[in-house]
Amino acid sequence: MRALGMMTLGMALLSSGCSFTTAGGLSECTTSSDCGSNSVCTSGFCLPQPAGCDQVVGATSAANPIVLGAALPLTNASGNAEIEQQRFNGLKLALDEVNQAQGVGGRQFVMYVCDTGADVSRAVTQAAWMVNDKGAVALFSAGSAQTLAISEITVPKNVLLMSHTATSSAFTTLSDKNGGSVGLVWRTTPSDVLQGRVIADVLQGVTPINDPGVTFTPPTKVGVAYVNDSYGNGLYDAIQNRIPNKDNVTGAQYNRNESVSGAVTRLVSFKPDLTVLAGFPEDNARLLPEAVGQGVSVANGNRWFLTDASKDLTLLTNLGANKAQLNGAYGTAPASARPSDSTYKLFADRFITAYRTDPGQFSFTAHAYDAMYLVTLGAAYAVGNDPNNPQPVTGPRIAEGLTKLTPPAGQSATTYSLGSTQFTAAREVLRSGATINVRGASGELDFNNDTGEAPSPYELFKVENSAFKTVQLINPPVD
């Protein structure tokens, strides 16, 4: 009744000629520059923007830009999330390169950026704003739980959703076509079903570790400390399902950004001789010292094993003296740090020049770079090949374009590397409606067009001299 009363009042004010702007305390605007620093121009009025949505990158002054959005956990409960900032840099680097090449169809790209603070409900609010108020045709999202939640906003609105870090197996069977022929949720990362297989095979000695001078002894008892969300639950399930003797594996679950004491107690009781940390750096930086303090330590026969979410230099920094616990520890992540690969090397060189940071020290930086190029190439397909009659760039049309980036089985197509040197050539072929093959900085990206995901080799990395060193690449089992 209250909402109805306010609506009636607003209609009465308008019909009487009274300014709704004055009566409601709102200011009229043409663009957001007419509003204050904490407001945005929406439907002709200055309205508060969602918390965290204070960045706009790309061609901010371009006429008729193609609007994108990004919901990224640039901060978390511990403060600035350096790993997410570096992934964001991967998105920005590709965006800048595409705009320097004049975008697609004469239109450049602008991207609204919201810091989710690693809060799923906040991310959903921000996604709704970018879709409904800013008209974004595609959104980038980080993290499995957040991306799944945001898909509830984007899919019904026919907005493409692309993730560079979501690895949950839930995406493989996600209902995301909204009545169309192509799914609207895509990712440059493989499913954690594959990472679970890789980890379990390494731990059991099925996949030998090729680390000269080091002999890896398979553990007898494996603990998995995992975050209670779609990422952690799925990864734990994949690991323990592949180890035959279930009595030798136990899980220690905790909620993100909450107490880890229950998980530590579980590990103390189980007495593992190797513990997998399947969670995020800010939680692992609290869990490991607490576990060490209660006897789950290298000195007492425990070893640590990292997953993709913890390939982050800030984890080592935040552990302080406990950093020594991870000396020589191994971990896995979808492969990106491949210095001998020409596509990755070009990306890494440009990244280091732009941001003075080695992208190989953080997981998924290359996957973020690739994600932006994929979306912009999908947009090129959407525009079409008639300069006098460009087609609208929509989520479904971008998704249809993504299906043109991997040739059908048994067919061949010209391969283009994702990056500044071959973008314009790939763009023009796609505008003609033809199929190409792409190689990303993160790998081959041979997509399954039904699921929107591609398999990937994994890197086995090692903590050495306060940095991450790639030991070897592992192709995940197909079973």
Side-chain angles (χ1 to χ4, degrees):
M1 293 295 292
R2 179 180 177 85
L4 180 60
M6 291 297 292
M7 184 181 297
T8 304
L9 174 61
M11 293 177 65
L13 288 169
L14 287 171
S15 63
S16 67
C18 178
S19 170
F20 179 75
T21 307
T22 302
L26 302 177
S27 299
E28 293 180 335
C29 59
T30 302
T31 67
S32 292
S33 62
D34 299 329
C35 305
S37 59
N38 295 320
S39 299
V40 291
C41 189
T42 303
S43 300
F45 295 98
C46 293
L47 300 177
Q49 66 184 12
C53 296
D54 55 0
Q55 289 193 65
V56 187
V57 297
T60 55
S61 60
N64 191 30
I66 298 171
V67 180
L68 309 174
L72 310 172
L74 299 173
T75 59
N76 54 41
S78 300
N80 181 57
E82 178 68 16
I83 190 170
E84 296 295 345
Q85 181 61 57
Q86 297 307 330
R87 294 164 181 169
F88 177 34
N89 285 341
L91 288 172
K92 288 193 296 181
L93 179 62
L95 179 64
D96 289 345
E97 291 174 356
V98 168
N99 280 338
Q100 288 170 15
Q102 302 308 308
V104 298
R107 298 175 65 189
Q108 294 183 306
F109 294 85
V110 66
M111 184 167 70
Y112 291 86
V113 183
C114 294
D115 172 18
T116 69
D119 183 312
V120 170
S121 61
R122 174 167 155 165
V124 169
T125 298
Q126 294 168 337
W129 174 73
M130 287 186 281
V131 169
N132 297 326
D133 292 288
K134 306 317 295 180
V137 295
L139 257 61
F140 297 90
S141 176
S144 295
Q146 175 179 294
T147 304
L148 283 169
I150 287 176
S151 72
E152 298 291 330
I153 298 295
T154 57
V155 171
K157 292 287 188 177
N158 277 331
V159 171
L160 184 102
L161 182 60
M162 174 69 77
S163 181
H164 48 283
T165 69
T167 55
S168 169
S169 60
F171 290 98
T172 303
T173 57
L174 186 68
S175 178
D176 63 342
K177 293 185 178 179
N178 197 33
S181 60
V182 182
L184 292 164
V185 180
W186 291 66
R187 55 179 172 172
T188 53
T189 52
S191 166
D192 271 327
V193 168
L194 301 183
Q195 182 169 201
R197 292 173 185 172
V198 170
I199 292 173
D201 284 1
V202 167
L203 298 187
Q204 295 176 96
V206 175
T207 300
I209 294 179
N210 301 319
D211 191 4
V214 178
T215 300
F216 179 80
T217 303
T220 301
K221 299 174 70 176
V222 176
V224 183
Y226 65 99
V227 61
N228 182 22
D229 67 6
S230 55
Y231 166 70
N233 292 327
L235 193 50
Y236 170 59
D237 185 64
I239 293 171
Q240 65 99 16
N241 278 339
R242 197 168 179 83
I243 295 179
N245 190 340
K246 301 298 184 283
D247 292 338
N248 290 342
V249 184
T250 198
Q253 184 188 89
Y254 57 89
N255 292 325
R256 189 172 186 181
N257 297 325
E258 296 183 12
S259 173
V260 296
S261 294
V264 170
T265 298
R266 179 83 166 153
L267 293 174
V268 170
S269 175
F270 183 64
K271 296 182 175 62
D273 51 346
L274 184 143
T275 300
V276 179
L277 295 176
F280 298 95
E282 64 270 23
D283 288 325
N284 288 336
R286 295 182 296 114
L287 187 147
L288 188 148
E290 190 169 327
V292 169
Q294 296 188 45
V296 183
S297 65
V298 171
N300 290 329
N302 178 69
R303 291 169 288 170
W304 303 96
F305 195 98
L306 304 177
T307 62
D308 48 13
S310 282
K311 191 185 180 191
D312 177 358
L313 287 177
T314 57
L315 171 63
L316 306 182
T317 301
N318 292 339
L319 283 172
N322 282 300
K323 178 176 66 174
Q325 287 284 317
L326 294 182
N327 286 341
Y330 295 109
T332 57
S336 60
R338 296 172 293 120
S340 61
D341 180 86
S342 59
T343 305
Y344 174 79
K345 189 175 186 307
L346 178 60
F347 153 72
D349 288 346
R350 294 179 69 87
F351 192 101
I352 292 169
T353 299
Y355 305 113
R356 299 183 180 180
T357 300
D358 177 4
Q361 294 301 306
F362 301 89
S363 60
F364 300 127
T365 50
H367 296 79
Y369 181 79
D370 289 345
M372 178 61 72
Y373 266 107
L374 293 173
V375 169
T376 55
L377 286 173
Y381 171 87
V383 168
N385 206 31
D386 185 352
N388 298 316
N389 186 32
Q391 299 302 300
V393 178
T394 65
R397 288 279 293 165
I398 295 174
E400 188 176 339
L402 294 178
T403 69
K404 302 294 184 179
L405 303 180
T406 302
Q411 298 183 23
S412 61
T414 302
T415 298
Y416 296 88
S417 294
L418 299 181
S420 59
T421 58
Q422 297 189 13
F423 170 73
T424 55
R427 175 186 66 192
E428 298 314 308
V429 175
L430 283 167
R431 289 189 63 185
S432 72
T435 296
I436 65 173
N437 187 46
V438 295
R439 292 191 73 251
S442 65
E444 293 296 336
L445 295 174
D446 293 327
F447 282 102
N448 179 328
N449 290 333
D450 291 328
T451 63
E453 60 190 25
S456 169
Y458 282 78
E459 58 177 301
L460 180 75
F461 61 84
K462 179 181 182 179
V463 179
E464 186 174 281
N465 298 324
S466 299
F468 299 107
K469 172 187 174 183
T470 299
V471 176
Q472 68 195 73
L473 299 183
I474 300 172
N475 289 317
V478 296
D479 56 303

